Amino acid sequence: MSGNRKYQKTLVACYMGFVTQAIAANFAPLLFLTFQHTYGISLEKIALIPVVFYLTQLLVDLGATKFADIIGYRICVVISQVVSAVGLVLMAFLPEVLPVPFLGILLAVVFYAIGSGLVEVLVSPIVEACPFENKDGVMSLLHSFYCWGAVGVILGSTLFFAVFGIENWKILTLLWALVPLVNVFQFLTCPIERLVEDGESLPIRRLLRLPLIWMMILLMICSGASEASMAQWASAFTESALGVSKTIGDLAGPCLFAVFMGISRMLYGKMSEKLNLTKTMLLSGLLCVACYLLASLSPVPILGLAGCAICGFSVGIMWPGTISLSSQKCPQGGTAMFAFLAEYSVTSEPLNPLHRSTHSECRSHPYEKVNPLLRATS
């Protein structure tokens, strides 16, 4: 990868920042049933956990437009890793300490959601400010680490629970907290440049008057919705196509989608100098449409699963590509532009992690009668 060697440490820290975000977003949902059984929390209350997570992240994204440039990238990104680690540590202890365990869980979620929101806003502009030549390729490779982080969290946690038992989930929570804790020292010592010099970034009002920005925001919403809509059906497709249990479907489906999305981003990161970003995104959009048609209309289960998996490949470049295009077309957008793009990417995320629990009937009925995308439109 071309670019100044001293910024490789910055790049590694940003990679680990996205891994931290993947831990924050994907670890707690693996424990929802454990929370229910251990603390007697109803599923209705558990459904509030991701709502609190995404709403907190959204508020942080909004607030970052005001304070990130004033405080400075380094302080903010170090805080993101500290509060992420604190949130995970609190997840292990607060439910036992407080008289209402659910309140302890929500407080822990708020902490690491703050960290997740700061990561989403800051990591991309930090990398964009580094003097790498193939910025769009670097950005794509950077965002692939969220995918690999998600896969690592799901598979690593599943393996841990299989070997040591899910009753030891608190130990694993503390182990995951080491990732952001170690990354604090990476961000403290790596070189970090400013994306735009003081006084040169566009004011928020002027930024929002640019038609280009609204076009990019629309692209961010559409690409995020395309990703989230298919990702939430991944487990149902896996159960139906392979005839596996719901538990395996819940694990394998999202993993399969994330792996293909990560491969897409990694491949573009390696081949970006030979490819045109705009044309690549256009072809990816057409492939995404084809995947949706294949997944929703195919009467053959394995083809539906293939459509789901390849959809992960097709949407992989959309978010990092949109960020790169925005930076190219509006170099004075500054942190506010990245914050607005991050904010609208969050609004396209599904808030209810329990969506998969309603599709266990996929195991006992013919595929063509329960294809979830067909049923969703009826």
Side-chain angles (χ1 to χ4, degrees), residues 83-352:
V83 295
S84 293
V86 169
L88 289 167
V89 171
L90 291 178
M91 178 73 76
F93 294 108
L94 272 188
E96 303 290 344
V97 174
L98 295 183
V100 181
F102 182 61
L103 180 59
I105 293 171
L106 286 186
L107 287 174
V109 168
V110 168
F111 268 89
Y112 65 66
I114 292 172
S116 179
L118 288 172
V119 164
E120 189 159 51
V121 172
L122 296 171
V123 167
S124 292
I126 286 174
V127 171
E128 186 67 30
C130 294
F132 298 115
E133 294 176 9
N134 57 328
K135 290 284 185 71
D136 52 340
V138 172
M139 191 66 68
S140 181
L141 189 59
L142 168 70
H143 281 255
S144 75
F145 275 81
Y146 177 85
C147 306
W148 305 130
V151 172
V153 169
I154 294 171
L155 294 184
S157 299
T158 302
L159 180 62
F160 180 93
F161 295 149
V163 175
F164 300 103
I166 199 166
E167 64 274 9
N168 291 309
W169 65 270
K170 294 177 185 178
I171 296 175
L172 181 59
T173 306
L174 296 177
L175 291 176
W176 286 130
L178 292 176
V179 175
L181 190 61
V182 170
N183 209 30
V184 166
F185 300 99
Q186 285 279 98
F187 276 121
L188 281 173
T189 56
C190 71
I192 295 179
E193 304 293 339
R194 294 188 67 88
L195 184 63
V196 180
E197 294 301 323
D198 290 334
E200 293 185 7
S201 61
L202 291 175
I204 294 176
R205 288 185 179 181
R206 283 187 60 191
L207 186 66
L208 293 179
R209 288 175 187 168
L210 297 177
L212 172 69
I213 295 301
W214 288 104
M215 217 161 86
M216 293 300 166
I217 286 175
L218 179 62
L219 182 57
M220 205 72 166
I221 293 173
C222 292
S223 60
S226 299
E227 175 185 330
S229 297
M230 185 63 82
Q232 68 179 326
W233 296 111
S235 60
F237 277 122
T238 306
E239 290 176 57
S240 177
L242 303 181
V244 296
S245 68
K246 184 178 183 300
T247 301
I248 295 176
D250 284 351
L251 294 174
C255 276
L256 190 64
F257 185 90
V259 164
F260 273 81
M261 187 161 63
I263 290 173
S264 170
R265 291 174 175 176
M266 181 171 284
L267 284 177
Y268 185 82
K270 297 296 184 182
M271 302 170 60
S272 60
E273 293 177 328
K274 302 176 183 178
L275 299 172
N276 179 282
L277 178 58
T278 304
K279 291 181 179 178
T280 302
M281 290 179 67
L282 179 60
L283 290 174
S284 294
L286 294 174
L287 179 60
C288 182
V289 172
C291 289
Y292 264 84
L293 291 174
L294 177 62
S296 60
L297 300 178
S298 172
V300 182
I302 198 68
L303 290 180
L305 179 61
C308 179
I310 299 173
C311 185
F313 186 89
S314 70
V315 299
I317 189 58
M318 294 300 186
W319 279 10
T322 302
I323 291 172
S324 293
L325 282 178
S326 301
S327 298
Q328 292 171 17
K329 303 296 183 181
C330 187
Q332 291 182 307
T335 309
M337 180 178 70
F338 284 88
F340 279 118
L341 292 176
E343 173 194 346
Y344 283 97
S345 74
V346 171
T347 61
S348 65
E349 296 279 352
L351 292 182
N352 187 357

Side-chain angles (χ1 to χ4, degrees), residues 45-57:
K45 286 186 176 181
I46 287 175
L48 289 175
I49 295 175
V51 173
V52 170
F53 177 81
Y54 285 114
L55 287 181
T56 303
Q57 190 172 308

